[in-house]
Amino acid sequence: MPKKHILIMGASRGIGKALVHHLAQQSDVHIIALARNEAKMKVDFADLANVSVHAIDLNLKQVRTTLTDILEAYPSVDYYINNAGLLVNKPFLELTEEDIAQAYQVNTLSSFASIQAVLPKMIEQGGHIVNISSMGGFQGSMKFAGLSAYSTSKAALVSLTELLAEEYKETNVKINCLCLGAVQTEMLEEAFPGYQAPLSAAKMAEYIADFTLHQHQWINGKVIPVSLSTP
Ligand SMILES: NC(=O)c1ccc[n+]([C@@H]2O[C@H](COP(=O)([O-])OP(=O)(O)OC[C@H]3O[C@@H](n4cnc5c(N)ncnc54)[C@H](OP(=O)(O)O)[C@@H]3O)[C@@H](O)[C@H]2O)c1
């Protein structure tokens, strides 16, 4: 049986790093781990024979071509966990154009580009794309001051999920979106110092990994809140 290839964007720390460690325990998968900090991933995943690491900067314009070039080395992409994210926490009137553009570039625009690179590798054999959004981008959830750039850019990812599931419904590609509540990671600690989330990155990774590998047999185009903390 050929190995299934799992692409994880944003794998150098937090939930993405925990996902690599969790999924690499399966011998029948090969993990393609991406982030800017390639050196750190090389050290952190040095003992994992079924993990390859590549550098990519989602801030740059040529995400689609860069990722397409990286993926040429792999026969397929069976699962894509679109997990990278940038949290901007600033009062609305203090947001600069650059803050807003960066949040949208990393959380939204690069998602268009990376999915455009992944889909051609996935369409023939089928697969599952899992977009990692936030409870802040989930309609009707509690909202937090300072997160307008971040949460609206994550809400766009929710909508993109629903639209792509419709556009590709005749294929074997399924696309779903998980809206996460608070998870104890570097991102959370930097944005809200001292706040204690009810879930660790490793615990959240368990759920995301199981969802990615199995749930697309039953659901497509769905947006699912995954939260112990946020109403
Ligand atoms: N933690 C939470 O409470 C929480 C709640 C809701 C949703 N989420 C979402 O869950 C996902 C993971 O969050 P996390 O808490 O694990 O975040 P994190 O600790 O900040 O990790 C983010 C990952 O994204 C990568 N990344 C950021 N900017 C990038 C860029 N320009 N190019 C390439 N990679 C980039 C980072 O790698 P490099 O810096 O090496 O590039 C890192 O690996 C994010 O989408 C986040 O929005 C998290």
Side-chain angles (χ1 to χ4, degrees), residues 4 18 20 24 42 51 60 70 85 96 104 116 122-123 125 133 143 159 180 182 185 195 213 219 229:
K4 298 282 189 190
V20 174
K42 277 186 174 159
V51 177
L60 302 179
I70 290 170
T96 63
Y104 273 77
Q116 284 176 325
M122 212 178 240
I123 278 179
Q125 295 167 36
S133 183
K143 298 297 184 278
S159 193
L180 309 188
T185 66
Y195 179 85
L213 295 179
I219 63 173
S229 57

CSV table of all heavy atoms in Angstrom, one decimal, residues 4 18 20 24 42 51 60 70 85 96 104 116 122-123 125 133 143 159 180 182 185 195 213 219 229:
chain,number,residue,atom,x,y,z
A,4,LYS,N,0.0,7.4,2.5
A,4,LYS,CA,-0.8,8.6,2.3
A,4,LYS,C,0.1,9.8,2.7
A,4,LYS,O,0.8,9.8,3.7
A,4,LYS,CB,-2.0,8.5,3.2
A,4,LYS,CG,-2.9,7.4,2.9
A,4,LYS,CD,-3.8,7.7,1.7
A,4,LYS,CE,-4.9,6.6,1.6
A,4,LYS,NZ,-5.6,6.7,0.3
A,18,ALA,N,2.3,19.9,17.1
A,18,ALA,CA,1.7,18.8,17.8
A,18,ALA,C,1.1,17.8,16.8
A,18,ALA,O,1.1,16.6,17.0
A,18,ALA,CB,0.7,19.3,18.8
A,20,VAL,N,2.1,17.2,13.8
A,20,VAL,CA,3.2,16.4,13.2
A,20,VAL,C,3.6,15.2,14.1
A,20,VAL,O,3.6,14.1,13.7
A,20,VAL,CB,4.4,17.3,12.9
A,20,VAL,CG1,5.6,16.4,12.4
A,20,VAL,CG2,4.1,18.4,11.8
A,24,ALA,N,2.8,11.4,12.9
A,24,ALA,CA,4.0,10.7,12.5
A,24,ALA,C,4.1,9.3,13.2
A,24,ALA,O,4.9,8.5,12.8
A,24,ALA,CB,5.2,11.5,12.8
A,42,LYS,N,13.5,21.1,11.4
A,42,LYS,CA,14.6,20.1,11.2
A,42,LYS,C,15.0,19.5,12.5
A,42,LYS,O,15.2,18.3,12.7
A,42,LYS,CB,15.8,20.7,10.4
A,42,LYS,CG,15.5,20.7,8.9
A,42,LYS,CD,16.8,21.1,8.2
A,42,LYS,CE,16.6,21.0,6.7
A,42,LYS,NZ,17.5,21.8,5.9
A,51,VAL,N,8.7,12.2,8.1
A,51,VAL,CA,8.4,13.7,8.1
A,51,VAL,C,9.4,14.4,7.2
A,51,VAL,O,10.6,14.2,7.4
A,51,VAL,CB,8.4,14.3,9.5
A,51,VAL,CG1,8.1,15.8,9.4
A,51,VAL,CG2,7.4,13.6,10.4
A,60,LEU,N,4.5,36.1,1.4
A,60,LEU,CA,5.0,36.5,0.0
A,60,LEU,C,3.9,36.2,-1.0
A,60,LEU,O,3.0,35.4,-0.8
A,60,LEU,CB,6.3,35.7,-0.3
A,60,LEU,CG,7.4,35.9,0.7
A,60,LEU,CD1,8.6,35.1,0.3
A,60,LEU,CD2,7.8,37.4,0.8
A,70,ILE,N,7.3,22.7,-4.4
A,70,ILE,CA,7.6,21.8,-3.3
A,70,ILE,C,6.8,20.5,-3.5
A,70,ILE,O,7.4,19.4,-3.4
A,70,ILE,CB,7.1,22.4,-2.0
A,70,ILE,CG1,8.0,23.6,-1.6
A,70,ILE,CG2,7.1,21.4,-0.9
A,70,ILE,CD1,7.5,24.4,-0.4
A,85,GLY,N,-1.5,30.4,10.9
A,85,GLY,CA,-2.4,31.6,11.2
A,85,GLY,C,-1.6,32.7,11.8
A,85,GLY,O,-0.5,32.5,12.4
A,96,THR,N,-3.2,49.3,11.6
A,96,THR,CA,-2.6,49.9,10.4
A,96,THR,C,-3.0,49.1,9.2
A,96,THR,O,-3.5,47.9,9.3
A,96,THR,CB,-1.0,49.9,10.5
A,96,THR,OG1,-0.6,48.5,10.5
A,96,THR,CG2,-0.5,50.6,11.8
A,104,TYR,N,-4.9,39.3,6.7
A,104,TYR,CA,-5.7,38.7,5.5
A,104,TYR,C,-4.7,37.9,4.6
A,104,TYR,O,-5.1,36.9,4.0
A,104,TYR,CB,-6.4,39.8,4.7
A,104,TYR,CG,-7.7,40.1,5.3
A,104,TYR,CD1,-7.9,40.8,6.5
A,104,TYR,CD2,-8.9,39.5,4.7
A,104,TYR,CE1,-9.2,41.0,7.0
A,104,TYR,CE2,-10.1,39.7,5.2
A,104,TYR,CZ,-10.3,40.4,6.4
A,104,TYR,OH,-11.5,40.6,7.0
A,116,GLN,N,-5.1,26.2,-4.1
A,116,GLN,CA,-4.9,26.2,-5.5
A,116,GLN,C,-3.7,25.3,-5.9
A,116,GLN,O,-3.7,24.6,-6.9
A,116,GLN,CB,-4.7,27.6,-6.1
A,116,GLN,CG,-6.0,28.4,-6.2
A,116,GLN,CD,-5.7,29.8,-6.7
A,116,GLN,OE1,-4.7,30.4,-6.4
A,116,GLN,NE2,-6.7,30.3,-7.5
A,122,MET,N,-4.7,16.5,-5.7
A,122,MET,CA,-5.7,15.7,-4.9
A,122,MET,C,-6.9,15.2,-5.7
A,122,MET,O,-7.5,14.2,-5.3
A,122,MET,CB,-6.3,16.7,-3.8
A,122,MET,CG,-6.6,16.0,-2.5
A,122,MET,SD,-7.2,17.3,-1.3
A,122,MET,CE,-6.0,17.1,0.0
A,123,ILE,N,-7.2,15.9,-6.8
A,123,ILE,CA,-8.5,15.6,-7.5
A,123,ILE,C,-8.6,14.2,-8.0
A,123,ILE,O,-9.6,13.5,-7.8
A,123,ILE,CB,-8.7,16.7,-8.6
A,123,ILE,CG1,-9.3,17.9,-7.9
A,123,ILE,CG2,-9.6,16.1,-9.7
A,123,ILE,CD1,-9.5,19.1,-8.9
A,125,GLN,N,-7.1,11.3,-7.0
A,125,GLN,CA,-7.3,10.2,-6.0
A,125,GLN,C,-8.2,10.5,-4.9
A,125,GLN,O,-8.6,9.7,-4.1
A,125,GLN,CB,-5.9,9.8,-5.4
A,125,GLN,CG,-5.0,9.2,-6.5
A,125,GLN,CD,-3.6,9.1,-6.0
A,125,GLN,OE1,-3.4,8.9,-4.8
A,125,GLN,NE2,-2.6,9.3,-6.8
A,133,SER,N,-9.9,27.4,11.3
A,133,SER,CA,-10.4,28.7,11.6
A,133,SER,C,-10.5,28.9,13.1
A,133,SER,O,-9.9,28.1,13.8
A,133,SER,CB,-11.7,29.0,10.8
A,133,SER,OG,-12.2,30.3,11.1
A,143,LYS,N,-17.7,37.4,20.7
A,143,LYS,CA,-16.6,38.1,20.0
A,143,LYS,C,-15.8,38.8,21.0
A,143,LYS,O,-16.2,39.1,22.1
A,143,LYS,CB,-17.2,39.1,19.0
A,143,LYS,CG,-18.0,38.4,17.9
A,143,LYS,CD,-17.2,37.5,17.0
A,143,LYS,CE,-17.9,36.9,15.8
A,143,LYS,NZ,-18.7,35.7,16.2
A,159,SER,N,-16.2,30.8,5.0
A,159,SER,CA,-17.0,31.0,3.7
A,159,SER,C,-16.3,30.3,2.5
A,159,SER,O,-17.0,29.6,1.7
A,159,SER,CB,-17.1,32.5,3.5
A,159,SER,OG,-18.1,32.7,2.5
A,180,LEU,N,-11.7,26.6,16.0
A,180,LEU,CA,-11.2,26.3,17.3
A,180,LEU,C,-11.5,27.3,18.4
A,180,LEU,O,-11.4,28.5,18.1
A,180,LEU,CB,-9.7,26.1,17.2
A,180,LEU,CG,-9.1,25.1,16.1
A,180,LEU,CD1,-7.6,24.9,16.3
A,180,LEU,CD2,-9.9,23.8,16.0
A,182,ALA,N,-10.1,28.3,22.5
A,182,ALA,CA,-8.8,28.6,23.0
A,182,ALA,C,-8.0,27.3,23.2
A,182,ALA,O,-8.5,26.4,23.8
A,182,ALA,CB,-8.9,29.4,24.3
A,185,THR,N,-1.1,27.7,23.3
A,185,THR,CA,0.0,27.7,22.4
A,185,THR,C,0.7,29.0,22.5
A,185,THR,O,0.3,29.9,23.2
A,185,THR,CB,-0.5,27.6,20.9
A,185,THR,OG1,-1.3,28.7,20.6
A,185,THR,CG2,-1.4,26.3,20.7
A,195,TYR,N,-3.3,34.1,30.2
A,195,TYR,CA,-4.6,33.4,30.0
A,195,TYR,C,-4.4,31.9,29.9
A,195,TYR,O,-3.4,31.4,29.3
A,195,TYR,CB,-5.3,33.8,28.7
A,195,TYR,CG,-6.6,33.1,28.4
A,195,TYR,CD1,-7.8,33.6,29.0
A,195,TYR,CD2,-6.7,32.0,27.6
A,195,TYR,CE1,-9.0,33.0,28.8
A,195,TYR,CE2,-7.9,31.4,27.4
A,195,TYR,CZ,-9.1,31.8,27.9
A,195,TYR,OH,-10.2,31.2,27.7
A,213,LEU,N,-8.4,12.4,9.2
A,213,LEU,CA,-8.2,11.1,8.5
A,213,LEU,C,-9.6,10.4,8.3
A,213,LEU,O,-9.7,9.6,7.4
A,213,LEU,CB,-7.4,10.2,9.4
A,213,LEU,CG,-5.9,10.7,9.6
A,213,LEU,CD1,-5.2,9.7,10.5
A,213,LEU,CD2,-5.2,10.8,8.3
A,219,ILE,N,-19.0,13.9,6.0
A,219,ILE,CA,-19.3,15.3,5.9
A,219,ILE,C,-18.5,16.1,4.9
A,219,ILE,O,-17.3,15.7,4.7
A,219,ILE,CB,-19.3,16.0,7.3
A,219,ILE,CG1,-17.9,16.0,7.8
A,219,ILE,CG2,-20.2,15.4,8.3
A,219,ILE,CD1,-17.7,16.9,9.1
A,229,SER,N,-14.4,26.4,25.6
A,229,SER,CA,-14.4,27.6,26.3
A,229,SER,C,-15.3,28.7,25.8
A,229,SER,O,-15.8,29.5,26.6
A,229,SER,CB,-13.0,28.2,26.3
A,229,SER,OG,-12.6,28.4,25.0
